[in-house]
Amino acid sequence: MKIGILGSGLAGLSAALQLADKNEVVIFEKNDSPGGCMSSLTYNNTYTLETLYHHCFSGDTNLFSLLENLDLKTDMIWLKGSTGYYMDGKLHPLTTPLEILRYPCLTFFQKFRLGLFVISSRKINLSQLDKVTAKEYLFEKVGKDIYNAFFAPLLTSKFGSMKDDVSAAWLMSRIAIRSDRGTEGERLGYLKGGWHKLIDAMMEKLEKMGAEIRLSTPVITLVRKNEKWQINGEEFDAVISTLPPQITNSLMGNSTDKLPDLMYQGAACMTLGLARDPTNGIYWTNMGDPAPYGAVVTHTNFVPFKWYGEHVVYLASYFKDEPDSGLKDRMIDDFCKRFSIDISEIHHADLYIDRFAGPVYVTGYKDSIPPANIGDNLFIAGMFSPENYPERSMEGSISAGLNAAKLLEENNR
Ligand SMILES: Cc1cc2nc3c(=O)[nH]c(=O)nc-3n(C[C@H](O)[C@H](O)[C@H](O)COP(=O)(O)OP(=O)(O)OC[C@H]3O[C@@H](n4cnc5c(N)ncnc54)[C@H](O)[C@@H]3O)c2cc1C
């Protein structure tokens, strides 16, 4: 069979690896490099780093099998992920129990209540929470004061004006996974040398298997004709699209309303190379105070500094529709003032924009997830798939890609 795969992110590449030994596989990618959300850039001609911060979790079984198949399992390292909260003009470390006890922006009783709530998150049935907003749920479970003092700034920085629509299922899944920590903080996984090694190895294996990967080749049209699919006019027996459902729909000329229009948000993520560490050893700092970025992710407080020769920091922000104009300058200005960084201490600053960085898990989202098998040998997989509910991940996109490939094979047996 001749199979067309739309998109070279983890979902597309995983599906392709599953299918390429027995089929003629062609992957279409609009960008000039593969990987989608997992694409990387080389800095200072010395190190290659993902444009968006990534780590994995101990339960990512399909990711680990993939690494094993590609002889990369031994490159997996487990590191401490320390956290902080920037609130009332100050960076507060929040990794160890003592640091949490010392956090001044909540009372002792509020911290105790919050602690009990976090512990209870691990036993919750998430499917029951899909129709409840995170705000309603938090009001009920921890009260308005803790919501306003702790959760509201986090939800605002992640979802902006959409924060009141996000479901409690999303929130509780995040809390459950991020609270799986010891007294030293979370253990998070990283691939020694960078995640680009995974994408490179997938590409290399696919090429060896005979798959064709067409970079800088956006899919413009997807047409059903004479029992076949035509991608940009070229005929295929079957298609797997890993693009957002509404984009797949529009490629078909919106001739079908088979796929739902899911709400997505974009990510604007700045990578900085710096002369010094702005966050005092902390890896992940959430911004509680309003700022043009929602988190400061100091990569070199997670992965050893010596691999980079400079401090590497991501400023993470999300947007609806389009990013604000002038965002890059506003991010740099704010960051320099807030963290007392002189502009001369910034070696390089690159802003990466991904318009479709993930669906927004609003209430009722679960019922709108489209099935992977659309019919007529068209399959879909990606950040919107059930495997990525209620939060997208590398693991979810790999699993979704594998599932779409399996369904395609079953359908054509
Ligand atoms: C800011 C951010 C941080 C993240 N951090 C983590 C993390 O720490 N841990 C974790 O597990 N997960 C993380 N994720 C999630 C993870 O990156 C994704 O779930 C996964 O990489 C998505 O893969 P995908 O193939 O589903 O989608 P994508 O990576 O989006 O791939 C889709 C591909 O389709 C291409 N495309 C789009 N339109 C067309 C077209 N018309 N023609 C051809 N090609 C097209 C795109 O260029 C892209 O390459 C993060 C995501 C983001 C946005």
Side-chain angles (χ1 to χ4, degrees), residues 10 14 17-18 56-74 76 78 191 195 198 201-202 205 394-395 398-399 402:
L10 278 179
S14 303
L17 278 175
Q18 193 67 20
C56 68
F57 301 94
S58 58
D60 292 349
T61 49
N62 281 314
L63 171 64
F64 302 142
S65 305
L66 178 61
L67 292 172
E68 184 137 36
N69 290 339
L70 297 168
D71 289 330
L72 288 174
K73 190 85 189 273
T74 49
M76 195 65 230
W78 292 94
L191 197 64
W195 289 107
L198 170 61
M202 292 174 96
K205 184 152 186 193
M394 295 187 268
E395 173 70 11
I398 294 167
S399 312
L402 292 176

Side-chain angles (χ1 to χ4, degrees), residues 179-310:
S179 62
D180 184 14
R181 53 173 64 205
T183 50
E184 287 290 291
E186 284 176 287
R187 301 287 294 171
L188 300 171
Y190 191 73
L191 197 64
K192 204 171 167 187
W195 289 107
H196 73 94
K197 286 175 76 178
L198 170 61
I199 301 297
D200 292 350
M202 292 174 96
M203 293 284 286
E204 205 176 302
K205 184 152 186 193
L206 280 167
E207 270 159 19
K208 277 193 191 135
M209 291 166 92
E212 196 186 328
I213 300 146
R214 297 187 194 159
L215 300 177
S216 306
T217 311
V219 175
I220 316 282
T221 55
L222 177 63
V223 176
R224 183 79 181 151
K225 203 170 172 189
N226 304 330
E227 310 273 292
K228 302 265 184 188
W229 285 101
Q230 290 190 347
I231 301 176
N232 297 347
E234 182 179 342
E235 212 164 72
F236 288 83
D237 299 302
V239 171
I240 296 180
S241 174
T242 69
L243 318 186
Q246 55 270 41
I247 304 285
T248 304
N249 237 4
S250 70
L251 297 176
M252 295 191 278
N254 288 322
S255 57
T256 145
D257 55 2
K258 278 179 179 158
L259 301 175
D261 194 349
L262 298 178
M263 195 194 292
Y264 265 67
Q265 64 176 354
C269 182
M270 173 106 74
T271 307
L272 298 167
L274 293 176
R276 69 188 160 86
D277 171 13
T279 54
N280 304 332
I282 294 171
Y283 168 47
W284 193 284
T285 302
N286 286 308
M287 297 301 297
D289 289 351
Y293 41 90
V296 180
V297 183
T298 308
H299 183 74
T300 37
N301 288 340
F302 173 53
V303 178
F305 168 84
K306 63 179 181 211
W307 293 350
Y308 303 89
E310 63 180 353

Side-chain angles (χ1 to χ4, degrees), residues 2 30 83 85 115 128 141 145 155 247 285 332 362 378:
K2 187 171 172 189
K30 74 173 165 64
T83 52
Y85 202 11
Q128 290 170 353
K141 296 291 175 189
D145 289 347
L155 287 165
I247 304 285
T285 302
I332 293 180
V362 292
L378 172 62

